[in-house]
Amino acid sequence: MSTTVAHRQQAEVTLDTQTIQAIAEIEAQVIAPVEVARVHISWAQADSGLWVANYGGYYGGTVDRQGDHFFVADTFGQYVGDFRSLDEAKARLAERLHVLLPDVIRPTA
């Protein structure tokens, strides 16, 4: 199998299957997503029923217990949700922070 590629500067270029596969493998290595270690979130209990997230040295948001519910606000004060358990609330805030602050990475030792 071969593929013909037309360019304005060149009339045409014909590539064989092996060349196309080699180019695809090189592109996959170059374009492959880099695994970035997620930032560790540490929690402090600021008050009874109020937990504050530290996201890689940045304020990450809060989990506020009101009765049987845990209300979550992110680093920008935006409402994330109302959850039935503290663990679920913390996990959802962590997911949100990984999306909102993708440039915050785990510091290298």
Side-chain angles (χ1 to χ4, degrees):
M1 178 179 159
S2 66
T3 302
T4 302
V5 180
H7 292 283
R8 291 183 183 162
Q9 295 175 346
Q10 299 173 350
E12 63 181 45
V13 175
T14 301
L15 302 174
D16 61 84
T17 304
Q18 284 182 311
T19 303
I20 293 171
Q21 288 174 343
I23 291 169
E25 288 174 16
I26 292 168
E27 285 179 343
Q29 291 173 4
V30 171
I31 299 173
V34 177
E35 288 294 323
V36 176
R38 289 197 163 181
V39 174
H40 174 73
I41 299 174
S42 58
W43 292 92
Q45 189 166 2
D47 200 357
S48 178
L50 180 65
W51 293 265
V52 178
N54 179 320
Y55 186 73
Y58 297 94
Y59 168 72
T62 60
V63 175
D64 184 13
R65 181 178 186 168
Q66 298 293 323
D68 293 338
H69 298 267
F70 295 88
F71 294 92
V72 178
D74 67 20
T75 188
F76 301 112
Q78 295 295 312
Y79 176 75
V80 175
D82 171 9
F83 305 97
R84 292 297 211 170
S85 75
L86 178 60
D87 289 338
E88 182 182 10
K90 286 180 174 181
R92 292 298 291 273
L93 180 57
E95 290 172 13
R96 174 79 163 243
L97 292 172
H98 294 315
V99 172
L100 285 177
L101 304 172
D103 294 335
V104 177
I105 59 172
R106 181 179 296 170
T108 55

